């Protein structure tokens, strides 16, 4: 299983833990709540759902209404068939597997693609796991930032102004996320709600172009 398919599996299980959904609604939630999945289509989602059903982590149930009526918007003709009327529900085994995935704090949870999805489910994650993931992510970015600074110091004299500015922009993005992570870690340690960084101090989010 590829890393990207593993991230999709994690997100699908997490969303279905909240409530059963049909395919269209699940894809909509992936797109709106987890922007990293905007590139995914039904072609990617349904094989994942099928695999999860085969493993016993999901069950398919008939929907009471056609999918286009549940979603409140008309669907294209290919989505009006039987498959569009299936609702996916998390099984007890699927919930147990998702709980196991939530408890993991290894290096994969710190990487750019997986971290964003893990963070989206921090509300379902224990505090000690959140801390380990946040601290691991910050450590990873601090290592990346040190390498970027060292590389810039070696090549500065050979770069034109625009390339140099692009390098600086990348470093600033990483620095911004490191500050954001530090604020989140401090909030976790002090018991403050996530995002409470003090009066008149907006908390920056993860950068969009780290490690690119």
């Amino acid at each position: 299983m590829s890393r990207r398919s593993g991230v999709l599996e994690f997100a699908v299980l997490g969303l279905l833990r909240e409530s059963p959904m049909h395919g269209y609604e699940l894809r909509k939630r992936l797109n709106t709540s987890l922007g990293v999945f905007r590139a995914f289509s039904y072609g990617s989602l349904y094989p994942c759902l099928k695999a999860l059903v085969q493993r016993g982590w999901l069950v398919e149930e008939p929907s009471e209404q056609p999918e286009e009526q549940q979603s409140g918007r008309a669907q294209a003709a290919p989505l009006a068939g039987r498959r569009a009327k299936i609702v996916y529900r998390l099984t007890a085994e699927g919930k147990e597997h998702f709980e196991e995935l939530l408890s993991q704090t290894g290096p994969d949870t710190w990487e750019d693609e997986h971290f964003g999805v893990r963070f989206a489910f921090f509300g379902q994650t224990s505090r000690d796991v959140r801390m380990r993931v946040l601290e691991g992510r910050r450590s990873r970015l601090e290592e990346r930032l040190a390498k970027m600074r060292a590389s810039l110091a070696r090549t500065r004299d050979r770069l034109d102004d625009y390339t140099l500015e692009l390098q600086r922009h990348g470093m600033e993005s990483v620095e911004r996320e490191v500050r954001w992570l530090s604020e989140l870690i401090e909030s976790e340690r002090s018991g403050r709600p996530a995002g409470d960084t003090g009066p008149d101090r907006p908390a920056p989010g993860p950068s969009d172009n780290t490690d690119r």
Side-chain angles (χ1 to χ4, degrees):
M1 180 175 60
S2 69
R3 175 178 294 181
R4 191 162 179 80
S5 62
V7 174
L8 178 59
E9 173 187 299
F10 178 88
V12 167
L13 292 173
L15 290 175
L16 291 178
R17 187 191 187 206
E18 298 173 3
S19 65
M21 297 182 207
H22 52 75
Y24 175 78
E25 181 63 19
L26 185 56
R27 180 173 180 247
K28 183 179 177 182
R29 287 290 305 279
L30 287 169
N31 287 344
T32 57
S33 302
L34 306 169
V36 69
F37 289 110
R38 286 173 185 159
F40 279 106
S41 65
Y42 277 100
S44 301
L45 177 59
Y46 279 108
C48 176
L49 290 170
K50 182 178 180 180
L52 295 176
V53 170
Q54 291 173 341
R55 293 171 190 160
W57 296 334
L58 302 182
V59 293
E60 297 177 332
E61 298 176 344
S63 173
E64 295 180 358
Q65 293 180 322
E67 183 170 328
E68 60 271 20
Q69 293 181 22
Q70 291 186 26
S71 66
R73 57 187 290 186
Q75 300 299 305
L79 303 182
R82 179 177 178 278
R83 188 173 68 175
K85 301 177 183 179
I86 294 297
V87 170
Y88 296 90
R89 183 185 300 274
L90 198 64
T91 65
E93 292 81 4
K95 182 177 180 180
E96 182 178 351
H97 178 63
F98 182 68
E99 294 285 351
E100 180 183 345
L101 294 176
L102 274 182
S103 69
Q104 295 177 2
T105 59
D108 280 352
T109 67
W110 314 334
E111 300 299 336
D112 293 344
E113 188 173 79
H114 204 166
F115 173 75
V117 179
R118 282 301 302 265
F119 190 84
F121 291 100
F122 263 21
Q124 303 181 40
T125 306
S126 64
R127 179 179 176 275
D128 61 320
V129 171
R130 291 198 303 265
M131 284 290 293
R132 288 198 294 271
V133 173
L134 289 172
E135 289 174 342
R137 174 66 174 175
R138 182 175 65 177
S139 177
R140 176 60 51 84
L141 290 184
E142 287 173 340
E143 292 174 1
R144 183 184 302 168
L145 188 58
K147 291 178 181 178
M148 294 173 73
R149 287 170 173 163
S151 175
L152 183 60
R154 290 194 306 268
T155 61
R156 181 188 301 270
D157 294 339
R158 301 194 299 271
L159 299 178
D160 62 62
D161 290 343
Y162 294 102
T163 304
L164 182 60
E165 190 61 29
L166 184 61
Q167 295 287 333
R168 287 172 175 165
H169 174 68
M171 289 176 54
E172 289 171 0
S173 297
V174 179
E175 290 169 344
R176 184 167 58 249
E177 186 171 349
V178 169
R179 290 194 299 270
W180 174 72
L181 289 166
S182 295
E183 291 171 350
L184 286 172
I185 291 169
E186 180 58 32
S187 293
E188 291 284 346
R189 287 174 176 164
S190 62
R192 296 198 307 268
D196 183 2
T197 57
D200 302 321
R201 289 188 63 196
S207 59
D208 293 329
N209 61 348
T210 56
D211 202 24
R212 284 180 170 82

